Amino acid sequence: MKVKEVADLVGISVRTLHHYDAIGLLVPDHTTEAGYRVYSPANLERLQQILFFRELGFPLKDIQAIVTRPTFDRLKALEQHQQMLRAKRHHLDELLQTVARTIQHAKGEIEMSTAEQFKGFDFSHNPYEQEARQRWGDEVVDASNAKLKAVTEQGKMQALQDEMNALYRDLAAVRHSDPASEAAQAAIGRWYLLLQRMGNYSLDAFKGLGQMYVDDVRFTQNIDQFGEGLAVFMRDAMAVYADHHSS
Amino acid sequence: MKVKEVADLVGISVRTLHHYDAIGLLVPDHTTEAGYRVYSPANLERLQQILFFRELGFPLKDIQAIVTRPTFDRLKALEQHQQMLRAKRHHLDELLQTVARTIQHAKGEIEMSTAEQFKGFDFSHNPYEQEARQRWGDEVVDASNAKLKAVTEQGKMQALQDEMNALYRDLAAVRHSDPASEAAQAAIGRWYLLLQRMGNYSLDAFKGLGQMYVDDVRFTQNIDQFGEGLAVFMRDAMAVYADHHSS
DNA sequence: GCTTGACTCTGACGTTACGTAATAGCTCAC
DNA sequence: GTGAGCTATTACGTAACGTCAGAGTCAAGC
């Protein structure tokens, strides 16, 4: 299939396809002698994934990092899309409630607080992240995302960021070893202590956090920057650490 | 309320509020001596409307034209938001179906066509416009939107565009008169003939189209560029014209 | 009164994801 | 062969903020 056929079928522009090719996000199967792009069924499958991620608000750069990873699991991603789309629909239901109540309010039928007027407008977080933030707090999530916000004391935050990055690198260096090994456990112990500095977390929570690193593509992507498969390794090492220290 | 309070309550950034003030979309009630923006409850009500339109994909420029119009009807707009949000949810349901079927397909449980893979991804039109296009065709809708696409024969399209604009101006000039007046009916007759050049439309359809000019803020906005209240006037004149010529 | 953290402002550059347009080559049915 | 439709690359422009710098304001606490 060539560009117009794909564009018409899918409902996107030819320009979008050019752009995606140019940034390496969706490279056509091959090109004709004339230089025409030819897309394969596999290309279309990739495009579907891209569009799901796009629909869910992921930046193209992030999408590219995710879908081009050798360990990218299409089925798992689809299941995650499903969950995120359900969350999106839940938010849309909230918006519908808000508009219905606003209509009633405008007709003088009910009272409505200012906060209620804006219920449902924030779509900025995916469900995993929301859950994680509720369970562990913003700082732990941001730490895992390696995206600490410049809150106050920039120097202090920078030092913490550097410390985290160093720890990620140490962990990446041993990620091909046994998660239960002495080196792995020493490094993951330091990770646990670092998180403890942000709050008191149970070992169960620590173990659950590790699982979330793997379950959510955003966490995975951010962590795997330091080395392919690091998120999986950390999950395993964190589980071992938690089990070992709870007995 | 000042910027941070509003931003936190609503879930948008302070920068957004600055931006909206700068472009005149949401100008705060007043400013303190220090120059701090102070937002009133009426400001927040306007903000809600803005966010609904934004949520539905309207460009800010369009939103501004709509909400700042003296004839802006908040209740009608809310009802329209509701309808459009319902349509959006319907599309989201389609996406959920698509992802569910894709999961089944990935597991080898069902067959799935390429087209099915992309069902639900196009959110680019509001429901009124979709309905109008189905009933009257693209050309009529674009003509009413005064946004003719450069399809072929650029010169020919330009001439048509000029003709349309002239007709809009004629209609705007008589919009304060009785829609049944001779001048109004002459002008609206020319509009009907212009549309007939694009296809055969019944008088009922013509009458319905006029109603749609008023029901959909996009149509209204585009038409009222030529004069405040022109869309309403055209609807009335079109109804008179249709009734008169069907008997 | 002074200090300090939080809040506020303006100005301005940068980012993202294309849309639009120009120019020119390619394809294929008539 | 012709011409309409399709294709390519190049490149500028746009919308809607995000980010940052530098400086002023506010109010609680000392």
Side-chain angles (χ1 to χ4, degrees), chain A residues 9-10 44 48 51-52 55 74 78 82 85 89 92-93 95-96 99-100 102-103 114-115 117-118 121, chain B residues 9-10 44 48 51-52 55 74 78 82 85 89 92-93 95-96 99-100 102-103 114-115 117-118 121:
Chain A
L9 174 69
V10 172
L44 293 191
Q48 189 204 36
L51 293 180
F52 272 128
E55 178 63 35
R74 179 172 177 243
L78 283 167
Q82 191 173 39
L85 283 168
R89 192 170 75 166
L92 200 47
D93 284 339
L95 273 187
L96 275 162
V99 72
T102 308
I103 287 170
T114 305
Q117 283 183 289
F118 297 98
F121 275 114
Chain B
L9 173 69
V10 173
L44 292 190
Q48 190 205 34
L51 293 179
F52 272 128
E55 178 62 34
R74 180 173 174 241
L78 283 166
Q82 192 173 41
L85 283 169
R89 194 172 75 163
L92 200 47
D93 284 339
L95 274 187
L96 275 163
V99 72
T102 309
I103 287 170
T114 305
Q117 285 184 286
F118 298 98
F121 274 114

Side-chain angles (χ1 to χ4, degrees), chain B residues 127-138 141 201:
Chain B
Y128 286 106
E129 191 165 308
Q130 283 182 307
E131 184 189 340
R133 288 186 189 276
Q134 277 172 2
R135 282 168 67 178
W136 294 297
D138 287 348
V141 173
Y201 301 108

Side-chain angles (χ1 to χ4, degrees), chain B residues 88 129 145 158 162 185 240:
Chain B
K88 192 173 180 181
E129 191 165 308
N145 277 349
Q158 186 62 45
D162 291 343
Q185 289 298 304
V240 170

Side-chain angles (χ1 to χ4, degrees), chain A residues 6-211:
Chain A
V6 174
D8 287 346
L9 174 69
V10 172
I12 60 176
S13 67
V14 168
R15 179 73 185 90
T16 301
L17 290 170
H18 287 175
H19 181 61
Y20 289 176
D21 185 9
I23 64 173
L25 177 58
L26 181 65
V27 181
D29 187 57
H30 65 278
T31 53
T32 66
E33 280 198 11
Y36 289 14
R37 297 171 175 80
V38 183
Y39 294 88
S40 67
N43 286 141
L44 293 191
E45 210 169 83
R46 160 69 67 81
L47 181 56
Q48 189 204 36
Q49 287 284 346
I50 289 164
L51 293 180
F52 272 128
F53 279 112
R54 190 179 77 165
E55 178 63 35
L56 293 163
F58 286 73
L60 295 190
K61 196 170 173 182
D62 285 0
I63 296 173
Q64 185 174 9
I66 294 166
V67 298
T68 55
R69 218 170 54 230
T71 56
F72 176 69
D73 183 331
R74 179 172 177 243
L75 187 56
K76 178 182 280 190
L78 283 167
E79 281 162 357
Q80 207 164 35
H81 294 321
Q82 191 173 39
Q83 190 158 9
M84 285 191 265
L85 283 168
R86 284 187 183 138
K88 191 173 182 182
R89 192 170 75 166
H90 176 70
H91 272 93
L92 200 47
D93 284 339
E94 280 185 329
L95 273 187
L96 275 162
Q97 272 191 358
T98 299
V99 72
R101 289 178 59 82
T102 308
I103 287 170
Q104 285 180 302
H105 180 245
K107 287 178 177 175
E109 292 167 8
I110 60 165
E111 289 299 313
M112 197 179 193
S113 74
T114 305
E116 280 185 286
Q117 283 183 289
F118 297 98
K119 193 166 183 294
F121 275 114
D122 184 13
F123 282 83
S124 57
H125 300 291
N126 72 48
Y128 286 106
E129 191 165 308
Q130 284 182 306
E131 186 188 340
R133 287 186 190 276
Q134 279 172 4
R135 284 167 69 178
W136 293 295
D138 286 349
E139 285 165 321
V140 173
V141 173
D142 288 342
S144 306
N145 276 349
K147 285 178 184 171
L148 277 184
K149 290 179 181 172
V151 188
T152 55
E153 297 177 305
Q154 293 274 17
K156 193 169 176 180
M157 285 296 118
Q158 186 61 47
L160 186 58
Q161 178 94 9
D162 291 343
E163 191 179 344
M164 276 171 46
N165 286 346
L167 200 38
Y168 272 132
R169 281 193 289 269
D170 287 349
L171 284 159
V174 298
R175 72 187 189 280
H176 296 306
S177 69
D178 181 6
S181 71
E182 203 166 306
Q185 289 298 302
I188 216 70
R190 273 181 285 148
W191 185 245
Y192 182 66
L193 292 178
L194 185 148
L195 294 182
Q196 291 298 90
R197 278 154 57 185
M198 300 182 192
N200 274 330
Y201 301 108
S202 72
L203 287 161
D204 272 354
F206 187 62
K207 188 173 175 179
L209 182 64
Q211 184 59 43

